[in-house]
């Protein structure tokens, strides 16, 4: 569930995202449907548009699985591109050298907001 607040759009509580895990969010419907996802490391969050720079596919096939087996890199489930969590840089795969598109978030009182 998301609500509007002065800090931005409330996405979730920090605890809704497992430490070392990720969570996706979708907005709009039909051809206007867009997604983002957040990856949590402790009290820090990295957020990106859920579209691979290779051909624009969502990075996840199912649920909130965005990381590789090591939990250290973001994995695109379609063709296996790997991205650094901290800056979204693609280190391996068909779009090596490209970047995920970041989204800006802020954590206030253990709640995560999407900022404009
Ligand atoms: S769509 Fe992500 S690597 Fe091809």
């Amino acid at each position: 569930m998301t609500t509007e607040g002065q800090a931005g759009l409330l996405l979730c509580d920090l605890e809704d995202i497992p430490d070392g895990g990720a969570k996706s969010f979708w907005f709009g419907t039909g051809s206007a449907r867009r997604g983002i996802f957040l990856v949590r490391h402790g009290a820090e969050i990295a957020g990106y548009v859920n579209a691979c720079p290779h051909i624009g596919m969502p990075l996840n096939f199912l649920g909130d699985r965005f990381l590789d087996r090591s939990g250290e890199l973001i994995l695109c489930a379609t063709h296996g591109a790997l991205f650094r969590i901290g800056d979204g840089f693609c280190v391996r795969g068909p779009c090596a050298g490209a970047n995920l598109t970041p989204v800006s978030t802020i954590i206030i009182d253990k709640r995560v907001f999407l900022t404009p």
Side-chain angles (χ1 to χ4, degrees):
M1 169 174 282
T2 59
T3 58
E4 293 283 349
Q6 283 190 324
L9 181 68
L10 175 60
L11 294 173
C12 65
D13 290 339
L14 182 61
E15 298 302 322
D16 293 337
I17 308 170
D19 194 3
K23 186 170 181 61
S24 60
F25 301 87
W26 293 97
F27 306 95
T29 58
S31 62
R33 190 171 189 243
R34 299 287 182 269
I36 66 169
F37 67 99
L38 306 178
V39 180
R40 177 181 171 197
H41 263 263
E44 296 187 7
I45 292 286
Y48 299 99
V49 173
N50 190 3
C52 181
H54 181 213
I55 57 171
M57 295 287 290
L59 281 91
N60 59 324
F61 275 143
L62 291 172
D64 291 326
R65 295 187 63 181
F66 286 88
L67 302 180
D68 70 349
R69 287 176 181 244
S70 74
E72 299 296 321
L73 294 166
I74 296 165
L75 170 68
C76 177
T78 302
H79 303 118
L82 293 167
F83 304 85
R84 292 191 301 232
I85 293 171
D87 61 4
F89 181 79
C90 182
V91 296
R92 193 168 74 202
C95 49
N99 283 82
L100 297 173
T101 302
V103 296
S104 180
T105 59
I106 189 170
I107 301 170
I108 300 174
D109 294 333
K110 296 186 177 182
R111 294 184 302 166
V112 184
F113 293 85
L114 180 66
T115 59

